[in-house]
Amino acid sequence: MKGGKIKIRDFHEAKWDEPIIFELSRKGERGILVPEVEKEIEEAVGDGISVLPEHMIRKEYPALPEIAQVRVLRHFLRLSQETLGATINIDIGQGTCTMKYNPIINEILAKSPEVTEIHPLQDEDTVQGALEIIYKLDLFLREISGFSKFTFQPGGGSHAIFTIISIIEAYHRLNGEGEKRNEIITTLLSHPSNAAAPAVKGYKVINLYPEEDGRPDIEALKEAVSEHTAGFIVTNPEDTGIFNPRIKEFTDIVHEVGGICAYDQANANGIIGIVRAVDCGFDLGFFNLHKTFSSPHGCGGPAVGAVGVTERLKDFLPVPTVEFDGKKYYLNYDIPHSIGKVREFYGVFPVILRAYAWIRSLGAEGIKEVARVAVLNNNYVMRKILEEVKGASISFPKTRHRLEQVRYSFEKLKKDTGVTSEDVIRRMADFGFHLWTSHHPWIIPEPFTIEPTESYSKDDLDEYLTTLKKVVEEAYRDPEKVKNAPYNCPIHNIDHEPLEDPDKWAITWRAYLKKHKKWE
Amino acid sequence: MVIKKRNGEIVVHPYIPNSVPEVQEEMLREIGVRDIEELYSDIPEELKFKGEMKLPEPLLSEYALKRHVKEILSKNRTCDENLCFMGGGCWPHYVPALCDEISQRSEFLTAYAGEPWEDHGRWQALFEYQSLIAELVDMDVVNVPTYSWGQAAATSLRMACRITRRDEVIVADTISPERLAIIRNYCKPVVRVKLAKHDPETGMMDLENLKSMISRDTAAIYFENPSYLGFIETHGGDISEIIHEVDGLSVVGVDPISLGVLVPPSHYGADIVCGDLQPLGIHMNFGGGLAGFIATSDEERYVMEYPSRLFGITKTTVEGEYGFGDVAFERTSFAKREKAKEFVGTAAALWGITAGVYLALMGPKGMWEIGKTIMQRSQYAMKELSRIDGVRAPRFKAPHFKEFVVDFNDTGLSVRDINKRLIEYGIFGGIDLSRDFPKLGESALYCVTEIHTKEDIDRLTSALGQIIESKR
């Protein structure tokens, strides 16, 4: 393919027509046997069960399937083959999510018994290696963000947002302003959890809308702030890939009324090493280690949203933090105004380890190169889409350059052909590619979002683009073909209707068996 | 600009294909800009970072990186080489080889938010996990996992508040301190959390105290079974009845590995059940293996209050083909932002798939056998430890599962000292409770599972005997 014409891939995903696991059950089969109890133990304590009062003993076995080991293995291997993992496809179509290469060496390291077989409450002397990794990653992230301290406790980006909101709430409450400051401001193009998490803490949420250039409206912010403002939480660049150059003015405006400014850097891939959170006036913020810092997404976790704070908010972090006294790493539970905890223990250690290893592999120059190449790749893809993909446009075209991603629109394609962005997405899957629309609400019509991280070569990008172009050409030529896609996936298009109807939805196999007769 | 070594040599980093200078130039030409800096022209100069990130020199070769990380990790002492008797929310269990094989598959490991047709296997695997847990708890709805048991409990309580339209919850004071801290923060300042006393002799809830606390403002009672302190709450039915009398909900946290032998909480009136998947085939990972689940009945008023993704089975355009999709997606923050039920995002899906593999392997008999062997082994341990002068196990007069409190008050030694000495024997002793449960004095929470052989338990007993004897 190098240098030559790009071929449209003759692709078909594995289709196994694999039954639901309960359908594989054969009475008496065993998947694994349990260590038998020694005769002496049995003699000493009997069956172990009779200490229970009768009403606490389970009378009937749980109705789990009975399946031989090799069949269980085959079942899940087949399901894995019916999954388009990021490592297998050119996954630039999952915008906002920073799908990048998850180095295999980091997986090997994360599988060491020194990672998997340690208990979080072991004596500190016996987990110095783990504490050192956590502490040093904290130091690295401080360098990247300018913050003074990080916690790795939150188990994902939304969880990090909730942690941030908890810190903001605790800060104002300590200052006797907990009741008065009951509003959080965010932008409509920031992640949905920036609006949702504050509501859990009882905050009224104000969403700022974008102006014509895609940037949040600074006048709207000025109107929104008041003595009721608890804080401001924002993504920058937002999901459009547009950086708000007046961000420092935004944070100044919020600070003037006594609010706290939080930076959602779930995806910081276009600006790591280029712009630091503190220099934009943020008091706290977070990075997703499973996005920018290369830990795999695991179908949606386990993950870490690493929350960093400036000096004045250190005393509010969840306990414990990891500290170093010059000789020894230790856990510090003595945090005067700590919000308490958001997750048990200290964070998902394998994720922390992978982020550590990733930064060690790249160094300061490498990290900047990641950002630069992510931005280069993105602008290359944008240019090609604008030039070559009929019916596609970018949102907020007034703004020329984008950072790490772009929210596009197939509004024209739909007008011309009736084919929607969701139709295109399904058809792309027939060639082994994933594409995604956008978060809600869809203020950009027929959206799709592409984020080509640093992990993809020019040839990879060209292949994706060539296919997207082909699909759109097909939409103009034969719209029905695109609308009825997919054809080459493990299954065809699904029927959403039963999923919305309480009489028909089935969230488990047993619920399906109870309800499915109604479908006939 | 590209990465350069100290001697000025350019590095093409293996993780960044387009760090090849010629390719960059070609792409810049296509875009029509001079250099990458130009693409950053929207960022004001004064916001650009001019300093230097003080990061260590890169370890460019994979070998150097591996060697470096391994060296740090070698400072850890593992529960493979030592005997671990700690649980308390993260437990040493055997992880079947298949659980590792499936959870490390690149497809599952690196997938994220693919659509139902292209990621069919991911959707099916998570639907199956939901279905398998549903059998264990004997309820019809289970969520795609949340972060941990602590979060699952906190969300269960917030769900209960929305369902009952009340804003007060009562929590049994024997709850795990970590989970309590999570619940408190998650409820503050919207929901009041009150603690209910336990009977000092049995550890179980003091029902009279509970009755006196409860009112029509109470949305829910939360207790755990087995409790954090290991005893089994045998009055679950009475507790559920007490809260149901005021139309509140019974919320029970459970260790799923106990449910082969213990009745599921839904049989004694629980309306919402939650717990952690970590015992089901997931390594401890220094606490990184946690994943919370929530289960309820299939009533609409429950289902509509979940913040989590709920994967449902459906039809496709082809007759007879199973498909999967999100049930009632409009509930979620992805659809409704601040008007949603709490929030949802990346949490612990891979551990859900792993727990599904575990339950598929274990089957009904396996879950019974593992529950039984854990009960036998832990009873044996309690019996043996009690033989040591000054040691009492269990501290509470109640049946126990897997964990139990060992009372060292009469030994004249602190748990801290005992545990320090045990390390010399290659043993990680039980969790020191003196900080979180001061009334128990010098007591420790011991955990015995299917991995602990008679010899392991005897080794612990003998070591403890020697440590205590030597102090007398």
Side-chain angles (χ1 to χ4, degrees), chain A residues 58 117 344 434 510 514, chain B residues 118 136 138 140 148 283:
Chain A
R58 189 162 188 153
E117 306 311 315
E344 295 88 327
H434 172 63
R510 59 186 355 232
K514 285 178 191 172
Chain B
E118 70 204 22
L136 211 50
D138 202 9
D140 286 354
S148 65
H283 296 278

Side-chain angles (χ1 to χ4, degrees), chain A residues 119-363:
Chain A
H119 189 283
L121 299 177
Q122 273 177 230
D123 189 286
E124 283 166 2
D125 290 341
T126 68
V127 287
Q128 283 293 300
L131 295 177
E132 179 177 341
I133 299 268
I134 297 175
Y135 184 76
K136 289 198 167 150
L137 183 62
D138 172 12
L139 294 184
F140 297 171
L141 296 187
R142 291 186 213 176
E143 288 298 316
I144 294 170
S145 64
F147 288 133
S148 303
K149 184 72 193 168
F150 275 82
T151 175
F152 300 104
Q153 209 172 89
S158 299
H159 209 199
I161 294 168
F162 180 75
T163 306
I164 281 171
I165 299 301
S166 302
I167 291 172
I168 292 175
E169 198 270 336
Y171 176 86
H172 291 308
R173 186 158 32 81
L174 186 75
N175 293 331
E177 295 193 316
E179 303 279 311
K180 185 179 83 179
R181 294 192 179 270
N182 59 356
E183 293 175 356
I184 294 279
I185 303 167
T186 183
T187 65
L188 198 66
L189 285 169
S190 290
H191 189 276
S193 289
N194 286 309
V200 177
K201 282 265 173 192
Y203 283 108
K204 184 184 154 203
V205 177
I206 300 168
N207 289 293
L208 304 180
Y209 279 67
E211 291 199 282
E212 254 177 66
D213 59 3
R215 290 160 181 144
D217 184 347
I218 198 161
E219 295 308 318
L221 177 71
K222 285 177 189 163
E223 264 171 49
V225 293
S226 73
E227 54 177 9
H228 298 297
T229 304
F232 171 59
I233 182 160
V234 71
T235 317
N236 189 31
E238 293 175 304
D239 293 355
T240 51
I242 295 171
F243 188 88
N244 175 6
R246 300 175 75 179
I247 189 64
K248 184 67 173 50
E249 289 175 61
F250 274 65
T251 54
D252 285 345
I253 290 167
V254 175
H255 284 147
E256 269 164 36
V257 298
I260 291 178
C261 296
Y263 199 173
D264 174 345
Q265 290 199 280
N267 177 350
N269 215 41
I271 58 170
I272 35 171
I274 312 285
V275 182
R276 298 190 314 167
V278 284
D279 299 327
C280 298
F282 288 101
D283 305 297
L284 74 174
F286 76 96
F287 293 120
N288 275 351
L289 302 188
H290 51 289
K291 290 192 164 85
T292 311
F293 296 93
S294 91
S295 188
H297 285 75
C299 291
V304 169
V307 172
V309 295
T310 48
E311 205 60 37
R312 74 167 166 150
L313 295 174
K314 268 169 83 171
D315 287 349
F316 297 88
L317 285 170
V319 285
T321 52
V322 177
E323 309 290 350
F324 183 55
D325 66 9
K327 279 195 206 123
K328 210 186 115 180
Y329 298 92
Y330 66 98
L331 297 167
N332 175 26
Y333 283 87
D334 186 18
I335 300 178
H337 311 302
S338 172
I339 59 166
K341 294 195 76 76
V342 294
R343 187 181 175 284
E344 295 88 327
F345 312 115
Y346 334 115
V348 181
F349 183 58
V351 174
I352 295 168
L353 176 83
R354 291 180 186 115
Y356 174 87
W358 187 77
I359 293 173
R360 285 309 322 261
S361 163
L362 287 154

Side-chain angles (χ1 to χ4, degrees), chain A residues 13 15 19 21 23 30-31 36-38 42 44 46 48 51 55-58 61-62 64 75 79-80 82-84 86-88 102 111-112 114-119 122-123 126-127 129-130 132 143 158-159 162 166 173 187-188 190 192 195 200-201 207 215 245 270 274 276 291 296-302 341 343-345 356 360-361 369 371-372 375 377 383-384 426 434 456 458 490 492-493 495 499 505-510 514-515, chain B residues 1 13 15 17-18 24 26-27 30-31 40 42 44 49 54 56-59 68 70 72-73 75-77 79 87 90 104-105 107-112 117-122 124 128 130-131 135-136 138-140 147-148 150 158 178 185-186 188 232 234 259 261-263 283 285-287 298 312-318 321-322 328 333 337-338 344 346-351 361 363-364 368-369 376-377 379 383 420 428 453-454:
Chain A
E13 200 173 343
K15 176 182 177 65
I21 192 136
E23 298 176 289
R30 295 296 299 264
E36 258 177 80
V37 79
E38 293 86 341
E42 185 112 35
V51 301
H55 71 275
M56 288 306 292
I57 302 172
R58 189 162 188 153
Y61 287 139
L64 297 168
H75 176 73
L79 295 190
S80 78
E82 291 180 320
T83 304
L84 197 61
T87 304
I88 292 158
N102 316 122
K111 281 194 172 46
S112 326
E114 292 80 13
V115 175
T116 60
E117 306 311 315
I118 50 174
H119 189 283
Q122 273 177 230
D123 189 286
T126 68
V127 287
E132 179 177 341
E143 288 298 316
S158 299
H159 209 199
F162 180 75
S166 302
R173 186 158 32 81
T187 65
L188 198 66
S190 290
V200 177
K201 282 265 173 192
N207 289 293
R215 290 160 181 144
I274 312 285
R276 298 190 314 167
K291 290 192 164 85
H297 285 75
C299 291
K341 294 195 76 76
R343 187 181 175 284
E344 295 88 327
F345 312 115
Y356 174 87
R360 285 309 322 261
S361 163
E369 183 71 356
R372 288 193 295 253
V375 170
N377 284 358
R383 171 54 60 106
K384 291 277 175 184
R426 284 198 314 283
H434 172 63
Y456 301 97
K458 179 176 174 300
H492 297 77
N493 196 5
D495 182 359
L499 302 169
W505 68 39
I507 297 158
T508 54
W509 182 244
R510 59 186 355 232
K514 285 178 191 172
K515 288 178 178 178
Chain B
M1 270 228 314
H13 199 284
Y15 300 167
N18 288 345
Q24 293 195 355
E26 193 186 335
M27 292 172 75
E30 296 247 19
I31 299 169
Y40 281 111
D42 281 350
F49 179 54
K54 289 186 204 69
E57 284 296 308
L59 298 163
H68 163 78
K70 279 276 184 195
I72 300 180
L73 289 176
K75 297 171 195 166
N76 291 343
R77 292 180 57 181
C79 301
C90 181
Q104 73 187 5
R105 287 286 296 189
E107 296 91 334
F108 285 143
L109 183 71
T110 68
Y112 195 27
W117 39 90
E118 70 204 22
D119 263 8
H120 180 62
R122 169 174 74 91
Q124 180 165 341
E128 289 180 347
Q130 292 171 179
S131 304
E135 295 304 337
L136 211 50
D138 202 9
M139 293 179 113
D140 286 354
Y147 312 107
S148 65
R158 294 296 296 262
E178 299 246 345
N185 180 58
Y186 202 70
K188 197 180 278 174
I232 294 163
T234 60
L259 292 180
V261 292
L262 292 185
V263 288
H283 296 278
N285 286 306
F286 203 40
D298 196 6
I313 191 165
T314 187
K315 300 179 277 190
T316 78
T317 52
V318 171
E321 202 173 65
Y322 292 129
S333 55
R337 293 176 67 89
E338 68 272 18
V344 65
T346 301
L350 189 64
W351 299 149
L361 283 173
W368 166 263
E369 286 169 3
Q376 288 172 309
R377 286 168 201 279
Q379 283 164 32
K383 200 165 180 175
K420 284 272 180 208
F428 301 152
T453 62
K454 175 179 178 293

Side-chain angles (χ1 to χ4, degrees), chain B residues 95-299:
Chain B
V95 173
L98 253 65
C99 292
D100 281 334
E101 175 65 15
I102 298 303
S103 66
Q104 73 187 5
R105 287 286 296 189
S106 269
E107 296 91 334
F108 285 143
L109 183 71
T110 68
Y112 195 27
E115 304 292 343
W117 39 90
E118 70 204 22
D119 263 8
H120 180 62
R122 169 174 74 91
W123 289 82
Q124 180 165 341
L126 282 165
F127 172 80
E128 289 180 347
Y129 135 78
Q130 292 171 179
S131 304
L132 291 159
I133 293 287
E135 295 304 337
L136 211 50
V137 297
D138 202 9
M139 293 179 113
D140 286 354
V141 174
V142 175
N143 66 337
V144 173
T146 180
Y147 312 107
S148 65
W149 182 349
Q151 180 62 47
T155 282
S156 297
L157 291 171
R158 294 296 296 262
M159 285 171 65
C161 289
R162 290 194 296 274
I163 292 165
T164 59
R165 294 164 194 253
R166 297 176 187 179
D167 58 6
E168 176 188 290
V169 296
I170 294 176
V171 173
D173 69 353
T174 51
I175 181 181
S176 138
E178 299 246 345
R179 289 192 284 273
L180 179 60
I182 294 164
I183 290 171
R184 282 194 189 283
N185 180 58
Y186 202 70
C187 286
K188 197 180 278 174
V190 181
V191 173
R192 287 188 306 281
V193 180
K194 290 183 173 176
L195 288 185
K197 285 187 198 143
H198 64 274
D199 176 333
E201 193 149 301
T202 64
M204 296 183 212
M205 286 189 93
D206 176 339
L207 298 185
E208 289 313 310
N209 169 250
L210 180 61
K211 279 181 200 158
S212 73
M213 290 177 75
I214 222 149
S215 75
R216 296 202 75 83
D217 293 331
T218 314
I221 287 175
Y222 174 77
F223 65 98
E224 300 178 339
N225 222 359
S227 68
Y228 174 73
L229 298 176
F231 62 83
I232 294 163
E233 172 58 76
T234 60
H235 301 109
D238 299 327
I239 297 167
S240 296
E241 212 168 284
I242 291 170
I243 184 71
H244 287 157
E245 268 170 32
V246 294
D247 298 323
L249 303 185
S250 172
V251 181
V252 182
V254 71
D255 178 350
I257 209 164
S258 70
L259 292 180
V261 292
L262 292 185
V263 288
S266 54
H267 293 199
Y268 47 85
D271 302 291
I272 306 179
V273 172
C274 60
D276 209 294
L277 301 173
Q278 187 268 329
L280 308 180
I282 302 154
H283 296 278
M284 293 187 290
N285 286 306
F286 203 40
L290 308 187
F293 70 89
I294 302 170
T296 62
S297 71
D298 196 6
E299 285 172 72

